[in-house]
Amino acid sequence: RKEVEQDPGPFNVPEGATVAFNCTYSNSASQSFFWYRQDCRKEPKLLMSVYSSGNEDGRFTAQLNRASQYISLLIRDSKLSDSATYLCVVNLQRDSGAGSYQLTFGKGTKLSVIP
Amino acid sequence: ETGVTQTPRHLVMGMTNKKSLKCEQHLGHNAMYWYKQSAKKPLELMFVYSLEERVENNSVPSRFSPECPNSSHLFLHLHTLQPEDSALYLCASSQGGRGYGYTFGSGTRLTVV
């Protein structure tokens, strides 16, 4: 089983639509969860962190279900500028004392918002 | 403008060449990373340096050799690469053991011919 699995995509949606991305992770010891956004031929950038209580940032809502090991991202009122690949990212924070950590990335789901 | 700078942006090299990728972070972070991104694959962690010590090497072939001379600079030395090593190589930095503030550079797009 893949460590972080996402919807295969691509998602092609009209402007103004609501779109939801799903993600599952295999390691129940995972500590932190994120959604990153990657534009074509650019580096990934943090979109938002994901908390068990759910969190919202404008048109974006992220949810985490630890029992099901499931993460979601909802985008409301899609804009053309939302077109990108959305990466589900999980952190297995290590208690190494080294002050570093690893992020495990999903393959990403490509979103195209169409005029 | 990113706080993590990578050079060069693009690199074409032959299989017998030796080249180096450079990464510099201006964020005061204490950990730096090399990731590889190939088409249709998730980002793969290659190396992690924390406080200038290598703390992770994810079974990367020896033709890739990292170097971290100080907490702001990270290099990836390349030699006798294979065409399948063609990919986007991303450097990142972070502060401490938290998931926030993990910043990527723009990457080096490497083509091995």
Side-chain angles (χ1 to χ4, degrees), chain A residues 34 38 43 93 98-99 101-102, chain B residues 33 37 50 56 97-98 102 105:
Chain A
F34 310 91
Q38 187 171 22
E43 73 276 17
Q93 187 168 326
Y101 60 90
Q102 295 187 43
Chain B
Y33 311 78
Q37 188 173 35
S50 174
E56 193 75 31
R98 302 282 290 173
Y102 196 93

Side-chain angles (χ1 to χ4, degrees), chain A residues 4-35:
Chain A
V4 178
E5 202 149 1
Q6 295 185 238
D7 284 345
F11 284 33
N12 299 312
V13 303
E15 267 187 292
T18 295
V19 60
F21 301 135
N22 303 315
C23 171
T24 56
Y25 59 95
S26 60
N27 193 326
S28 59
S30 299
Q31 299 291 325
S32 310
F33 309 89
F34 310 91
W35 284 101

Side-chain angles (χ1 to χ4, degrees), chain B residues 19-49:
Chain B
K19 296 285 183 184
S20 296
L21 309 185
K22 179 182 175 182
C23 176
E24 184 174 359
Q25 59 100 355
H26 315 276
L27 301 168
H29 287 168
N30 61 8
M32 296 186 77
Y33 311 78
W34 280 116
Y35 276 86
K36 175 183 178 182
Q37 188 173 35
S38 306
K40 301 195 188 303
K41 285 187 170 183
L43 270 79
E44 301 169 61
L45 179 65
M46 299 175 73
F47 300 105
V48 181
Y49 276 83

